[in-house]
Amino acid sequence: VLRVASRPAEARRVCVPAAALLALLLPVVFRGAREIVLALGSLATGGLGLLALMSALGQTWNIVSIAAVPLTLGLGLDFTIHMIYSLRRRSQPGGGTTTGIGRALAYCGLSTGLGFGSLALAGNQGLVSLGVCAMIGVLCTLISAAFVLPWAWRMWPPKPAALADPGNE
């Protein structure tokens, strides 16, 4: 069970607008319902991983750690956009592989996660909770975008007409 040190209203005040903005951004970035659902699923998987690991590690939620949630959702969306564009290219005839994007996401996600994780060494408890929560969230969204999303992409293949549409990139 997650322990929330601050009022639950604070969590809603921070997280709900961030999630709503991300959901509104998805139709701008992606043209099809399939890609929007896959992106939301990837973000939800990363968010659930964050909640599970925070609970498993006995971390309490406070206003500073709650502030890390929009940061991690934004980074998770970035990872997801890059992976979906790469998967889309790979799905087209002669599209190639996703090896390059996987390596790039790994470097970016791990360096960002380690950067936030270094805040765990701070002397201020607010910075420590921000760093731990952001590090866990970034790593969870990275794993979701790099591993869960490509698996889901294969489980729900695009329609043949979507593959032939050159404007789909």
Side-chain angles (χ1 to χ4, degrees), residues 9-158:
E10 294 293 333
R12 283 190 300 276
R13 195 174 322 166
V14 172
C15 297
V16 170
L21 286 172
L22 289 175
L24 290 173
L25 182 63
L26 291 176
V28 173
V29 176
F30 303 120
R31 294 185 185 108
R34 173 181 172 265
E35 291 178 352
I36 292 171
V37 170
L38 288 171
L40 286 172
S42 178
L43 290 173
T45 301
L48 289 173
L50 169 62
L51 292 174
L53 283 173
M54 289 287 285
S55 180
L57 296 172
Q59 297 294 310
T60 59
W61 288 93
N62 56 53
I63 194 63
V64 180
S65 61
I66 290 169
V69 173
L71 289 170
T72 60
L73 286 176
L75 287 165
L77 181 59
D78 187 43
F79 299 151
T80 300
I81 290 169
H82 287 296
M83 183 54 79
I84 286 179
Y85 273 85
S86 179
L87 290 167
R88 188 191 295 166
R89 260 184 258 112
R90 185 184 78 175
S91 296
Q92 298 193 358
T97 68
T98 57
T99 304
I101 191 66
R103 188 174 298 130
L105 287 181
Y107 291 146
C108 291
L110 291 173
S111 64
T112 302
L114 290 173
F116 277 121
S118 70
L119 292 175
L121 303 174
N124 179 290
Q125 280 305 112
L127 286 176
V128 170
S129 66
L130 172 72
V132 169
C133 184
M135 178 187 67
I136 292 170
V138 166
L139 295 178
C140 286
T141 57
L142 170 64
I143 290 167
S144 178
F147 296 105
V148 177
L149 183 57
W151 172 82
W153 184 273
R154 285 189 304 275
M155 294 297 108
W156 186 6

